[in-house]
Amino acid sequence: MPLLTDFISTFGDDHVSFDAGYQAPASPATHTVQPIVTGASVLGLKYNGGVVLAADTLGSYGSLARFRDLRRITIMGQNILIGASGDYSDFQKIQEILEDVVEEDFCLDDGRSHTPKEIYSYLGRVLYGRRNKMDPLWNTLLVAGMEEGSPFLGQVELLGTQYEDDTLASGFGAHIARPLLRNAYRPDLTEEEARNIVLECMRVLFYRDARTINKIQIAVVNANGANVSEPFSFDTNWSIGLKPGEN
C-alpha cells in the first residue's frame, strides 16, 4: 500500500495541503461491561407488621476480599429500605438518583412523599432505561417498606425485571438462602423471629459463599419507620465440616 510520503514525493508539496486545526474524532463511548467492586447477597423477609433485610459488608474486587465495610442497605426518606447486590459504584449512582427524588419531595412541601411501591416502579424504569442504552446499572435491588399499612417487598434487576414476594434474595442467596426463607416464612412471624431467620440464612451463606463474610447489617422497616443496624459479627462453627473422630 502506498505511503503518504510516497504521495508527497510524487506530486510535490504544492499539491498537498494540511489543516493544522484538524482534530481526530473522539473515541467511541464506552460503558461498564462487567462489575468491578461487588457486593454479594441481600435477603428480604416479611413478617407480621414489617420487613427485615440483611446483607454482609464485604466488597469483593474480583476474587479479592478487598473492602470489609461497604454498607449496602440504605434508608430512603423515612420509611423505605433499599438493599443492593452487584457493582458498588453503580449502587452509589442509584443513591444519588434517589437523593434527588427525596430532595424534590422536600422542595414541593406538600406533605406527601413517595411510597415504597412508587420507588419500586421508578427504579424498574431507571434500570430498564439504562439497559436500553446498553449502559446498565449492574445491580439487583430489594425495596422494602410499608404500603398502606401493609409490608411491601419487591426486587428489581439490572434488566428492569421486577417482582414482589414475601421472601426475596439476590446474588448467591437466591439459590442457597431463598429456599430456607420460604420454608421458614409464616404470615404471623414476629420481628424477632424474622431477625433470627435471616441471621441463620446469612450464617449458611457465609459457610457456602466465597464472596461473603460474617460481618452483616440487619435492617427493619415497620409502621414506626426504618432502621439499619451497625455492622456486627456473628458466631460461626466450622466443626460441622470435620469428619467423625477429627479434632
Side-chain angles (χ1 to χ4, degrees), residues 191-235:
E191 180 181 328
E192 183 177 1
E193 288 175 328
R195 282 175 172 269
N196 291 335
I197 290 169
V198 296
L199 177 59
E200 188 60 31
C201 289
M202 293 302 295
R203 181 178 284 111
V204 172
L205 280 173
F206 175 62
Y207 292 144
R208 297 291 183 180
D209 188 358
R211 301 292 177 265
T212 187
I213 56 176
N214 65 327
K215 185 179 179 182
I216 68 171
Q217 288 181 287
I218 292 180
V220 178
V221 58
N222 51 36
N224 298 322
N227 178 66
V228 183
S229 73
E230 287 296 311
F232 66 93
S233 299
F234 54 78
D235 296 330

Side-chain angles (χ1 to χ4, degrees), residues 2-18:
L3 301 177
L4 179 60
T5 53
D6 298 331
F7 178 79
I8 295 174
S9 61
T10 301
F11 294 97
D13 295 341
D14 295 338
H15 297 84
V16 181
S17 62
F18 295 94

Side-chain angles (χ1 to χ4, degrees), residues 140-166:
T140 298
L141 305 172
L142 266 62
V143 182
M146 299 298 293
E147 185 78 24
E148 297 180 351
S150 300
F152 173 83
L153 180 61
Q155 182 163 317
V156 185
E157 298 179 347
L158 78 150
L159 298 181
T161 308
Q162 298 175 262
Y163 45 91
E164 306 169 26
D165 208 341
D166 298 322

Side-chain angles (χ1 to χ4, degrees), residues 43-63:
L43 309 184
L45 176 63
K46 287 184 182 179
Y47 68 90
N48 184 19
V51 184
V52 174
L53 297 185
D56 66 86
T57 61
L58 178 65
S60 298
Y61 183 75
S63 60

Side-chain angles (χ1 to χ4, degrees), residues 4-224:
L4 179 60
T5 53
D6 298 331
F7 178 79
I8 295 174
S9 61
T10 301
F11 294 97
D13 295 341
D14 295 338
H15 297 84
V16 181
S17 62
F18 295 94
D19 182 3
Y22 174 78
Q23 292 182 347
S27 300
T30 58
H31 305 299
T32 302
V33 295
Q34 65 180 10
I36 304 301
V37 176
T38 60
S41 306
V42 180
L43 309 184
L45 176 63
K46 287 184 182 179
Y47 68 90
N48 184 19
V51 184
V52 174
L53 297 185
D56 66 86
T57 61
L58 178 65
S60 298
Y61 183 75
S63 60
L64 175 66
R66 178 64 181 85
F67 304 101
R68 295 177 175 267
D69 193 26
L70 290 190
R71 307 186 182 195
R72 298 184 289 114
I73 302 177
T74 187
I75 299 175
M76 179 189 171
Q78 296 180 343
N79 58 355
I80 302 175
L81 292 174
I82 310 290
S85 294
D87 189 83
Y88 194 75
S89 63
D90 282 352
F91 177 48
Q92 290 174 315
K93 175 62 177 179
I94 290 172
Q95 287 179 290
E96 291 179 1
I97 294 172
L98 294 178
E99 286 171 2
D100 290 341
V101 175
V102 173
E103 183 177 341
E104 183 179 1
D105 282 344
F106 177 80
C107 292
L108 289 174
D109 195 22
D110 57 0
R112 186 188 183 281
S113 60
H114 286 80
T115 67
K117 187 168 289 188
E118 289 172 346
I119 296 303
Y120 163 75
S121 298
Y122 174 68
L123 287 173
R125 298 307 88 204
V126 169
L127 268 65
Y128 182 71
R130 289 290 294 263
R131 165 260 183 109
N132 287 343
K133 294 178 180 178
M134 303 301 170
D135 185 21
L137 294 167
W138 287 80
N139 296 106
T140 298
L141 305 172
L142 266 62
V143 182
M146 299 298 293
E147 185 78 24
E148 297 180 351
S150 300
F152 173 83
L153 180 61
Q155 182 163 317
V156 185
E157 298 179 347
L158 78 150
L159 298 181
T161 308
Q162 298 175 262
Y163 45 91
E164 306 169 26
D165 208 341
D166 298 322
T167 65
L168 288 174
S170 63
F172 200 45
H175 307 282
I176 299 297
R178 187 86 188 275
L180 303 177
L181 292 171
R182 284 172 170 161
N183 289 338
Y185 172 74
R186 303 190 319 271
D188 62 344
L189 283 174
T190 65
E191 180 181 328
E192 183 177 1
E193 288 175 328
R195 282 175 172 269
N196 291 335
I197 290 169
V198 296
L199 177 59
E200 188 60 31
C201 289
M202 293 302 295
R203 181 178 284 111
V204 172
L205 280 173
F206 175 62
Y207 292 144
R208 297 291 183 180
D209 188 358
R211 301 292 177 265
T212 187
I213 56 176
N214 65 327
K215 185 179 179 182
I216 68 171
Q217 288 181 287
I218 292 180
V220 178
V221 58
N222 51 36
N224 298 322

